[in-house]
Amino acid sequence: MKTNRIRRALTTLGGAAALAAAGLPSGARAQTFPSRALRFVVPFPAGSATDTVARIVAQAMGDALGQPVAVDNKPGANGILGAEQVKAAPADGYTMLVTTNTTQAANVSLYKKLSYDPVKDFTPIGKIGLTGFVLMVRPDFPAATLKDFLAHAKANPGKLSFGHGSAGSLVSGALLNKMGGVTATAVAYKGIPAALTDLIGGSLQYAFADVGNAVAQMKGGKLRGLAVTTPRRASRAPEVPTVAEAGLPGYEVVAWFGLMAPANLPGDVHRKLSDTLMAVLAKPDIRERIAAAGVDPDPQDAAALARTIDAEIRRWAGWVKDAGIQPE
């Protein structure tokens, strides 16, 4: 009997403590947050550009917040699995999505029915940076320029295949094929690193890789880069011409990375996370590490990222349409 009374008393005290915590004034809650480890969900595999950026930012934000930030890779379904997980997480600031144009913009046009709303189901924390994609081939591919690549592909209709592991790499390939008059087979992967492995092995003829992965493969001599999808040449690969200057004027595909939390995040926690992200992205050493990964730092606070996402949903809808991609 005595044991039961003690248990009931402890339960009552625990409930009271929880209610008191929930009723904390916003200022007090912001001072106590975070009180435990946080988690970044990355919707692409280890080794991807998203994963690399996530790990740099996780370490920096963890140091600034005084709590570790774990990185949890949840690849699959073009980023949808990771996005779904964060959508369903508690809106307490402890779980965030390292998002990209794939999950927060392009998937709206790539799928007839999407299991989440990229605007309504998430709270923007901030934008991190931009990157492009490089058209990659094996060293023994019979083309040294984009012009030669297109000529070879046209002479072999339907015989070439390209790998993609994100909306950016898919749209990059499909748009090149459409504008260049190429017929090729698209092969889906959970991430770009896996596509590059098969390209090196000879299962594919080409792929579009994010700048960071592309430069690593070019330096290793395993693959060659023929053109980059951005309007300007990549700072880490200035010798690679843009697709536009190499023969397809008007061609452009630019990817981006950001940080999101579940919808209805408390305002004080939201501000603390956004302010912390902006503060770490202003540090020269963090910017240098991000740039070294092939990503151009392009910080935007929460409000600016919200506007960017609205614009990017429309922008990627145009690219998907121009590339002739039919939604699944």
Side-chain angles (χ1 to χ4, degrees), residues 9 25 37 40 81 86 90 95 97 134 199 240 275 288 291 295 322:
F40 280 1
L81 298 185
V86 174
T95 300
L97 176 70
V134 181
L199 175 58
V240 180
D275 289 348
E288 288 173 7
V295 176
D322 291 345

Side-chain angles (χ1 to χ4, degrees), residues 112-123:
K112 294 178 181 177
K113 190 173 182 181
L114 197 58
S115 56
Y116 63 89
D117 187 307
V119 175
K120 295 179 181 179
D121 291 334
F122 299 91
T123 302

Side-chain angles (χ1 to χ4, degrees), residues 247-304:
L248 293 179
Y251 180 104
E252 175 188 338
V253 178
V254 180
W256 53 270
F257 307 91
L259 195 60
M260 308 286 282
N264 303 314
L265 190 66
D268 53 320
V269 173
H270 184 203
R271 285 188 295 274
K272 188 165 187 176
L273 289 172
S274 184
D275 289 348
T276 301
L277 176 62
M278 293 301 100
V280 302
L281 292 178
K283 294 183 176 181
D285 61 322
I286 301 301
R287 294 176 68 89
E288 288 173 7
R289 290 180 62 193
I290 291 173
V295 176
D296 295 327
D298 186 36
Q300 289 184 343
D301 64 15

Side-chain angles (χ1 to χ4, degrees), residues 26-217:
S26 62
R29 184 170 53 206
Q31 289 176 6
T32 60
F33 174 86
S35 59
R36 54 184 170 85
L38 299 92
R39 181 171 65 121
F40 280 1
V41 175
V42 176
F44 295 101
S48 63
T50 313
D51 176 72
T52 301
V53 168
R55 293 180 188 278
I56 295 171
V57 175
Q59 181 181 358
M61 287 190 68
D63 291 343
L65 292 169
Q67 293 288 348
V69 180
V71 174
D72 187 7
N73 296 90
K74 293 293 180 182
N78 219 33
I80 292 175
L81 298 185
E84 287 177 336
Q85 188 170 99
V86 174
K87 170 190 172 181
D92 55 11
Y94 286 95
T95 300
M96 287 168 276
L97 176 70
V98 182
T99 194
T100 72
N101 50 277
T102 295
T103 45
Q104 241 50 49
N107 278 350
V108 174
S109 297
L110 292 174
Y111 295 91
K112 294 178 181 177
K113 190 173 182 181
L114 197 58
S115 56
Y116 63 89
D117 187 307
V119 175
K120 295 179 181 179
D121 291 334
F122 299 91
T123 302
I125 302 300
K127 184 181 171 187
I128 299 168
L130 304 167
T131 194
F133 299 90
V134 181
L135 170 59
M136 307 294 290
V137 297
R138 285 163 48 99
D140 59 358
F141 189 85
T145 66
L146 178 62
K147 181 179 179 180
D148 292 341
F149 171 89
L150 294 175
H152 175 78
K154 289 178 183 177
N156 295 275
K159 296 182 180 180
L160 276 63
S161 59
F162 75 94
H164 61 89
S166 66
S169 56
L170 169 62
V171 171
S172 294
L175 188 59
L176 179 83
N177 295 346
K178 184 74 176 294
M179 293 179 67
V182 172
T183 301
T185 302
V187 183
Y189 291 84
K190 286 186 176 181
I192 290 172
L196 294 182
T197 297
D198 276 4
L199 175 58
I200 293 169
S203 300
L204 304 170
Q205 283 68 54
Y206 63 106
F208 278 86
D210 59 272
V211 171
N213 272 301
V215 170
Q217 297 297 341

